[in-house]
PDB file of all heavy atoms in Angstrom:
ATOM      1  N   VAL X   4    -196.164 -57.870-148.216  1.00  0.00           N
ATOM      2  CA  VAL X   4    -195.263 -58.301-147.155  1.00  0.00           C
ATOM      3  C   VAL X   4    -193.946 -57.571-147.330  1.00  0.00           C
ATOM      4  O   VAL X   4    -193.361 -57.572-148.415  1.00  0.00           O
ATOM      5  CB  VAL X   4    -195.030 -59.829-147.205  1.00  0.00           C
ATOM      6  CG1 VAL X   4    -194.060 -60.259-146.128  1.00  0.00           C
ATOM      7  CG2 VAL X   4    -196.345 -60.561-147.081  1.00  0.00           C
ATOM      8  N   ARG X   5    -193.508 -56.920-146.272  1.00  0.00           N
ATOM      9  CA  ARG X   5    -192.260 -56.169-146.330  1.00  0.00           C
ATOM     10  C   ARG X   5    -191.079 -57.143-146.302  1.00  0.00           C
ATOM     11  O   ARG X   5    -191.028 -58.057-145.479  1.00  0.00           O
ATOM     12  CB  ARG X   5    -192.179 -55.223-145.150  1.00  0.00           C
ATOM     13  CG  ARG X   5    -190.856 -54.504-145.065  1.00  0.00           C
ATOM     14  CD  ARG X   5    -190.844 -53.533-143.957  1.00  0.00           C
ATOM     15  NE  ARG X   5    -191.039 -52.233-144.578  1.00  0.00           N
ATOM     16  CZ  ARG X   5    -191.182 -51.109-143.950  1.00  0.00           C
ATOM     17  NH1 ARG X   5    -191.226 -51.099-142.646  1.00  0.00           N
ATOM     18  NH2 ARG X   5    -191.320 -49.977-144.590  1.00  0.00           N
ATOM     19  N   TYR X   6    -190.105 -56.950-147.165  1.00  0.00           N
ATOM     20  CA  TYR X   6    -188.903 -57.780-147.235  1.00  0.00           C
ATOM     21  C   TYR X   6    -187.986 -57.448-146.064  1.00  0.00           C
ATOM     22  O   TYR X   6    -187.709 -56.290-145.775  1.00  0.00           O
ATOM     23  CB  TYR X   6    -188.177 -57.539-148.564  1.00  0.00           C
ATOM     24  CG  TYR X   6    -186.853 -58.237-148.656  1.00  0.00           C
ATOM     25  CD1 TYR X   6    -186.785 -59.619-148.783  1.00  0.00           C
ATOM     26  CD2 TYR X   6    -185.661 -57.524-148.602  1.00  0.00           C
ATOM     27  CE1 TYR X   6    -185.575 -60.262-148.860  1.00  0.00           C
ATOM     28  CE2 TYR X   6    -184.442 -58.163-148.683  1.00  0.00           C
ATOM     29  CZ  TYR X   6    -184.397 -59.531-148.809  1.00  0.00           C
ATOM     30  OH  TYR X   6    -183.196 -60.173-148.893  1.00  0.00           O
ATOM     31  N   ASN X   7    -187.539 -58.480-145.373  1.00  0.00           N
ATOM     32  CA  ASN X   7    -186.642 -58.301-144.243  1.00  0.00           C
ATOM     33  C   ASN X   7    -185.393 -59.159-144.467  1.00  0.00           C
ATOM     34  O   ASN X   7    -185.438 -60.375-144.290  1.00  0.00           O
ATOM     35  CB  ASN X   7    -187.341 -58.707-142.947  1.00  0.00           C
ATOM     36  CG  ASN X   7    -186.475 -58.453-141.723  1.00  0.00           C
ATOM     37  OD1 ASN X   7    -185.335 -58.028-141.839  1.00  0.00           O
ATOM     38  ND2 ASN X   7    -187.041 -58.728-140.560  1.00  0.00           N
ATOM     39  N   PRO X   8    -184.278 -58.559-144.867  1.00  0.00           N
ATOM     40  CA  PRO X   8    -183.067 -59.344-145.137  1.00  0.00           C
ATOM     41  C   PRO X   8    -182.520 -60.040-143.889  1.00  0.00           C
ATOM     42  O   PRO X   8    -181.855 -61.066-143.999  1.00  0.00           O
ATOM     43  CB  PRO X   8    -182.076 -58.313-145.669  1.00  0.00           C
ATOM     44  CG  PRO X   8    -182.578 -56.994-145.219  1.00  0.00           C
ATOM     45  CD  PRO X   8    -184.060 -57.131-145.072  1.00  0.00           C
ATOM     46  N   LEU X   9    -182.798 -59.521-142.698  1.00  0.00           N
ATOM     47  CA  LEU X   9    -182.304 -60.154-141.482  1.00  0.00           C
ATOM     48  C   LEU X   9    -182.948 -61.514-141.229  1.00  0.00           C
ATOM     49  O   LEU X   9    -182.337 -62.392-140.632  1.00  0.00           O
ATOM     50  CB  LEU X   9    -182.519 -59.243-140.275  1.00  0.00           C
ATOM     51  CG  LEU X   9    -181.671 -57.965-140.269  1.00  0.00           C
ATOM     52  CD1 LEU X   9    -181.999 -57.126-139.040  1.00  0.00           C
ATOM     53  CD2 LEU X   9    -180.197 -58.284-140.315  1.00  0.00           C
ATOM     54  N   SER X  10    -184.168 -61.690-141.708  1.00  0.00           N
ATOM     55  CA  SER X  10    -184.818 -62.989-141.507  1.00  0.00           C
ATOM     56  C   SER X  10    -184.080 -64.079-142.281  1.00  0.00           C
ATOM     57  O   SER X  10    -183.978 -65.214-141.807  1.00  0.00           O
ATOM     58  CB  SER X  10    -186.285 -62.938-141.910  1.00  0.00           C
ATOM     59  OG  SER X  10    -186.401 -62.733-143.302  1.00  0.00           O
ATOM     60  N   GLU X  11    -183.545 -63.735-143.452  1.00  0.00           N
ATOM     61  CA  GLU X  11    -182.756 -64.713-144.208  1.00  0.00           C
ATOM     62  C   GLU X  11    -181.460 -65.035-143.482  1.00  0.00           C
ATOM     63  O   GLU X  11    -181.015 -66.184-143.461  1.00  0.00           O
ATOM     64  CB  GLU X  11    -182.468 -64.194-145.616  1.00  0.00           C
ATOM     65  CG  GLU X  11    -183.693 -64.198-146.502  1.00  0.00           C
ATOM     66  CD  GLU X  11    -183.374 -63.772-147.921  1.00  0.00           C
ATOM     67  OE1 GLU X  11    -182.234 -64.007-148.376  1.00  0.00           O
ATOM     68  OE2 GLU X  11    -184.276 -63.221-148.567  1.00  0.00           O
ATOM     69  N   LEU X  12    -180.830 -64.033-142.866  1.00  0.00           N
ATOM     70  CA  LEU X  12    -179.610 -64.279-142.106  1.00  0.00           C
ATOM     71  C   LEU X  12    -179.889 -65.170-140.896  1.00  0.00           C
ATOM     72  O   LEU X  12    -179.112 -66.073-140.587  1.00  0.00           O
ATOM     73  CB  LEU X  12    -178.986 -62.962-141.643  1.00  0.00           C
ATOM     74  CG  LEU X  12    -178.257 -62.155-142.705  1.00  0.00           C
ATOM     75  CD1 LEU X  12    -177.822 -60.804-142.150  1.00  0.00           C
ATOM     76  CD2 LEU X  12    -177.059 -62.921-143.213  1.00  0.00           C
ATOM     77  N   ARG X  13    -181.015 -64.915-140.211  1.00  0.00           N
ATOM     78  CA  ARG X  13    -181.388 -65.759-139.073  1.00  0.00           C
ATOM     79  C   ARG X  13    -181.636 -67.193-139.527  1.00  0.00           C
ATOM     80  O   ARG X  13    -181.237 -68.144-138.856  1.00  0.00           O
ATOM     81  CB  ARG X  13    -182.620 -65.203-138.381  1.00  0.00           C
ATOM     82  CG  ARG X  13    -182.321 -64.058-137.481  1.00  0.00           C
ATOM     83  CD  ARG X  13    -183.527 -63.707-136.602  1.00  0.00           C
ATOM     84  NE  ARG X  13    -183.449 -62.308-136.283  1.00  0.00           N
ATOM     85  CZ  ARG X  13    -184.214 -61.357-136.807  1.00  0.00           C
ATOM     86  NH1 ARG X  13    -185.171 -61.652-137.634  1.00  0.00           N
ATOM     87  NH2 ARG X  13    -184.033 -60.102-136.466  1.00  0.00           N
ATOM     88  N   SER X  14    -182.287 -67.342-140.653  1.00  0.00           N
ATOM     89  CA  SER X  14    -182.550 -68.673-141.188  1.00  0.00           C
ATOM     90  C   SER X  14    -181.235 -69.393-141.517  1.00  0.00           C
ATOM     91  O   SER X  14    -181.061 -70.569-141.197  1.00  0.00           O
ATOM     92  CB  SER X  14    -183.421 -68.570-142.428  1.00  0.00           C
ATOM     93  OG  SER X  14    -183.573 -69.818-143.037  1.00  0.00           O
ATOM     94  N   MET X  15    -180.303 -68.662-142.114  1.00  0.00           N
ATOM     95  CA  MET X  15    -179.005 -69.246-142.444  1.00  0.00           C
ATOM     96  C   MET X  15    -178.251 -69.626-141.162  1.00  0.00           C
ATOM     97  O   MET X  15    -177.630 -70.683-141.085  1.00  0.00           O
ATOM     98  CB  MET X  15    -178.160 -68.266-143.273  1.00  0.00           C
ATOM     99  CG  MET X  15    -176.890 -68.898-143.786  1.00  0.00           C
ATOM    100  SD  MET X  15    -175.769 -67.786-144.691  1.00  0.00           S
ATOM    101  CE  MET X  15    -176.819 -66.647-145.498  1.00  0.00           C
ATOM    102  N   GLN X  16    -178.336 -68.773-140.144  1.00  0.00           N
ATOM    103  CA  GLN X  16    -177.669 -69.067-138.877  1.00  0.00           C
ATOM    104  C   GLN X  16    -178.277 -70.316-138.234  1.00  0.00           C
ATOM    105  O   GLN X  16    -177.557 -71.169-137.719  1.00  0.00           O
ATOM    106  CB  GLN X  16    -177.783 -67.883-137.922  1.00  0.00           C
ATOM    107  CG  GLN X  16    -177.079 -68.122-136.605  1.00  0.00           C
ATOM    108  CD  GLN X  16    -177.199 -66.946-135.660  1.00  0.00           C
ATOM    109  OE1 GLN X  16    -178.007 -66.052-135.857  1.00  0.00           O
ATOM    110  NE2 GLN X  16    -176.388 -66.964-134.627  1.00  0.00           N
ATOM    111  N   ASP X  17    -179.597 -70.447-138.265  1.00  0.00           N
ATOM    112  CA  ASP X  17    -180.250 -71.638-137.719  1.00  0.00           C
ATOM    113  C   ASP X  17    -179.788 -72.900-138.442  1.00  0.00           C
ATOM    114  O   ASP X  17    -179.518 -73.928-137.811  1.00  0.00           O
ATOM    115  CB  ASP X  17    -181.772 -71.520-137.818  1.00  0.00           C
ATOM    116  CG  ASP X  17    -182.346 -70.502-136.841  1.00  0.00           C
ATOM    117  OD1 ASP X  17    -181.635 -70.157-135.874  1.00  0.00           O
ATOM    118  OD2 ASP X  17    -183.485 -70.057-137.073  1.00  0.00           O
ATOM    119  N   LYS X  18    -179.684 -72.815-139.760  1.00  0.00           N
ATOM    120  CA  LYS X  18    -179.226 -73.980-140.535  1.00  0.00           C
ATOM    121  C   LYS X  18    -177.783 -74.333-140.193  1.00  0.00           C
ATOM    122  O   LYS X  18    -177.439 -75.511-140.037  1.00  0.00           O
ATOM    123  CB  LYS X  18    -179.357 -73.700-142.028  1.00  0.00           C
ATOM    124  CG  LYS X  18    -180.790 -73.676-142.510  1.00  0.00           C
ATOM    125  CD  LYS X  18    -180.889 -73.311-143.964  1.00  0.00           C
ATOM    126  CE  LYS X  18    -182.341 -73.159-144.379  1.00  0.00           C
ATOM    127  NZ  LYS X  18    -182.480 -72.683-145.769  1.00  0.00           N
TER     128      LYS X  18
END
Side-chain angles (χ1 to χ4, degrees):
V4 178
R5 174 176 258 175
Y6 174 71
N7 184 357
L9 292 179
S10 66
E11 288 184 30
L12 284 174
R13 281 191 208 106
S14 174
M15 188 184 327
Q16 181 180 14
D17 289 342
K18 289 176 186 175

